[in-house]
Amino acid sequence: MRRWTPCACRCASARRRFYCIYRRSHKEAPARAEEIHHAEEEGVEFHWLTHPVAILDDGSGNVKGMRCVRMELGEPDSSGRRRPVPVPGSEFDFECDLVVYAIGTNANPIMGQTSKLRLNKWGYIDTDASLATSMAGIFAGGDIVTGAATVIEAMGAGRRAAAGMKAYLGIREGGRPYRTAGETLFGIDAGERNFARIRA
């Protein structure tokens, strides 16, 4: 079961207030420092070392709060961050009317059960240097290959995968990447468009 890390909620009041509930401390938060700083500037209130354990409803199916428990940091876990440990007897109810879950970026485990894609030991899609997968003609890139990373890295993966696809299809690299006087389109000569080399 995935843990809720972090969990954001909106408190019921005339003036909406936003909170971010996180089971570790500020130091262990996976967000970049500037992201946390900007969120605080926008009015988000962080509750560190706090772990939601249940959603409370009003009896009609509407959210009325979360039950939380205070945490303290223990020994480091496999990620190198100190593991949060519940503080006995510290449960309390946190009033809110909306909860947004942020439960991490793990690959969906069903992917390995519903496809023939080879996965690595972390459950992400295994690729070669050109981002080709174990299935012929299928390429992958971004977080599903590397795990959580930046948008820039995903964009770079897209370019590498595109080059890999062209090589797979037998389309030679053109000297000009974009359309020029109707001669080339993304490096594909006019005579090669809408055709693909078929491999036996």
Side-chain angles (χ1 to χ4, degrees):
M1 186 174 85
R2 295 180 182 179
R3 290 176 285 185
W4 304 351
T5 103
C7 181
C9 75
R10 182 172 68 183
C11 186
S13 67
R15 178 178 173 270
R16 294 293 185 188
R17 299 181 65 184
F18 297 85
Y19 303 90
C20 183
I21 313 300
Y22 185 53
R23 69 183 188 279
R24 286 185 165 101
S25 73
H26 183 285
K27 181 180 177 181
E28 287 80 24
R32 298 196 312 271
E34 58 267 29
E35 291 177 321
I36 295 173
H37 173 69
H38 291 155
E40 289 175 330
E41 284 187 327
E42 293 291 332
V44 176
E45 184 178 314
F46 287 83
H47 288 254
W48 307 108
L49 292 170
T50 305
H51 182 55
V53 295
I55 302 296
L56 309 175
D57 76 355
D58 62 1
S60 299
N62 302 308
V63 173
K64 74 169 187 179
M66 292 191 302
R67 180 150 298 143
C68 299
V69 61
R70 301 287 184 197
M71 308 294 281
E72 58 186 4
L73 296 178
E75 295 300 313
D77 61 15
S78 59
S79 71
R81 296 180 297 170
R82 293 176 63 191
R83 184 185 302 276
V85 179
V87 175
S90 64
E91 283 192 359
F92 68 98
D93 291 346
F94 188 93
E95 183 183 354
C96 62
D97 63 5
L98 176 68
V99 175
V100 179
Y101 301 99
I103 56 175
T105 57
N106 294 337
N108 191 329
I110 199 171
M111 184 169 52
Q113 303 166 20
T114 58
S115 77
K116 296 179 181 178
L117 289 169
R118 184 174 61 242
L119 307 180
N120 62 23
K121 64 181 181 180
W122 298 285
Y124 297 110
I125 297 174
D126 192 31
T127 66
D128 64 14
S130 68
L131 297 181
T133 70
S134 59
M135 294 179 66
I138 306 297
F139 292 75
D143 290 5
I144 195 59
V145 172
T146 61
T150 66
V151 172
I152 296 298
E153 289 174 296
M155 291 169 65
R159 293 180 66 90
R160 289 197 308 279
M165 291 174 200
K166 286 176 66 177
Y168 175 80
L169 294 172
I171 300 171
R172 61 182 181 271
E173 287 290 338
R176 296 174 179 173
Y178 302 105
R179 186 188 300 275
T180 304
E183 294 301 319
T184 63
L185 180 64
F186 296 104
I188 304 174
D189 293 336
E192 293 178 309
R193 291 182 212 158
N194 299 322
F195 295 92
R197 182 173 299 167
I198 304 299
R199 299 186 179 186

